Amino acid sequence: DIQMTQSPSSLSASVGDAVTITCRASQDIGNGLGWYQQKPGKAPERLIYDASSLQSGVPSRFSGSGSGTEFTLTISSLQPEDFAAYYCLQHNRYPLTFGGGTKVEMK
Amino acid sequence: EVQLVESGGGLVKPGGSLRLSCAASGFIFNTCTLNWVRQAPGRGLEWVSSISSSGTHIYYAESVKGRFTISRDNAKNSVQLQMNSLRAEDTAVYYCARDPRGAGTGFLDSWGQGILVTVSS
């Protein structure tokens, strides 16, 4: 099985800060990675697919990069509505595996 | 607009059974892979099971293999998750999620609102 190691597990930041979250895969997954945002009590929403493609309707301050085993999600300028949990998901092969999540909190 | 609506959750005793359903609308159901993903209280996301568009390819997480069964009814635009031999650790919000590819591998682009399953005596 492919293990997804996500870091950090939490971070504190201020509005306007740039934020970077990392996922590392235990095997090469090519570009088969998605990033999701989840707010309390809500279903996850996809931000990025295929490692770097922006989901339609998602603000351009979100970007994804990487391939193989190292991936990053960057929020270029944190907005109040961005305080949430973020998860990566490898969509290269079964069993599907999520990263452990990153909670972005207000400093 | 893609809509996925889960139903069938609730409180069940350990060892009991429950059947979840997900009703889909707003897209061509029989061309998509459907998935179940769960989230235990205060925890992260865990993939549970997937079924391809025709129902030919089915996958399960090790944690539910042999206890859960996924199925779909393309005539009724619905997917089900039959959960048997339930354990306390199956307590979670269960989400139905769509992969628009017929034999997809987790390209989850739309999710339902989730349904709570509580396993407790």
Side-chain angles (χ1 to χ4, degrees), chain B residues 76-90:
Chain B
K76 296 183 178 178
N77 286 6
S78 67
V79 60
Q80 292 77 38
L81 187 68
Q82 176 67 40
M83 304 186 294
N84 298 330
S85 303
L86 282 161
R87 307 166 179 166
E89 54 265 36
D90 295 317

Side-chain angles (χ1 to χ4, degrees), chain B residues 59-72:
Chain B
Y59 304 90
Y60 297 101
E62 277 300 321
S63 57
V64 306
K65 201 173 288 185
R67 300 187 299 123
F68 290 12
T69 301
I70 192 171
S71 60
R72 64 189 292 160

Side-chain angles (χ1 to χ4, degrees), chain A residues 36 38 42-43 46 87 91 94, chain B residues 39 95 104-106 108-109 112:
Chain A
Y36 295 81
Q38 187 181 32
K42 300 293 187 182
R46 191 167 70 175
Y87 295 90
H91 60 77
Y94 289 105
Chain B
Q39 186 170 37
Y95 295 101
T105 52
L108 308 184
D109 68 345

Side-chain angles (χ1 to χ4, degrees), chain A residues 2-8 20-35 48 50-52 63-74 88-90 92:
Chain A
I2 298 172
Q3 309 304 318
M4 300 302 298
T5 303
Q6 186 172 340
S7 61
T20 297
I21 299 168
T22 297
C23 263
R24 178 177 291 114
S26 60
Q27 304 173 35
D28 188 337
I29 59 170
N31 68 341
L33 186 105
W35 289 99
I48 301 288
D50 289 343
S52 60
S63 64
S65 64
S67 67
T69 61
E70 294 278 338
F71 302 87
T72 60
L73 173 70
T74 299
C88 63
L89 166 65
Q90 68 84 11
N92 181 261

Side-chain angles (χ1 to χ4, degrees), chain A residues 1 32 36 38-39 41-46 49-50 55 87 89-101, chain B residues 33 35 37 39 43-47 50 59-62 95 99 101 104-109 111-114:
Chain A
D1 297 1
Y36 295 81
Q38 187 181 32
K39 296 181 179 178
K42 300 293 187 182
E45 294 186 354
R46 191 167 70 175
Y49 61 94
D50 289 343
Q55 180 73 30
Y87 295 90
L89 166 65
Q90 68 84 11
H91 60 77
N92 181 261
R93 70 191 73 152
Y94 289 105
L96 309 181
T97 42
F98 288 90
Chain B
T33 295
N35 303 263
V37 175
Q39 186 170 37
R43 305 295 295 273
L45 300 167
E46 179 189 17
W47 169 77
S50 300
Y59 304 90
Y60 297 101
E62 277 300 321
Y95 295 101
D99 178 337
R101 304 168 307 176
T105 52
F107 199 78
L108 308 184
D109 68 345
W111 298 59
Q113 83 286 355

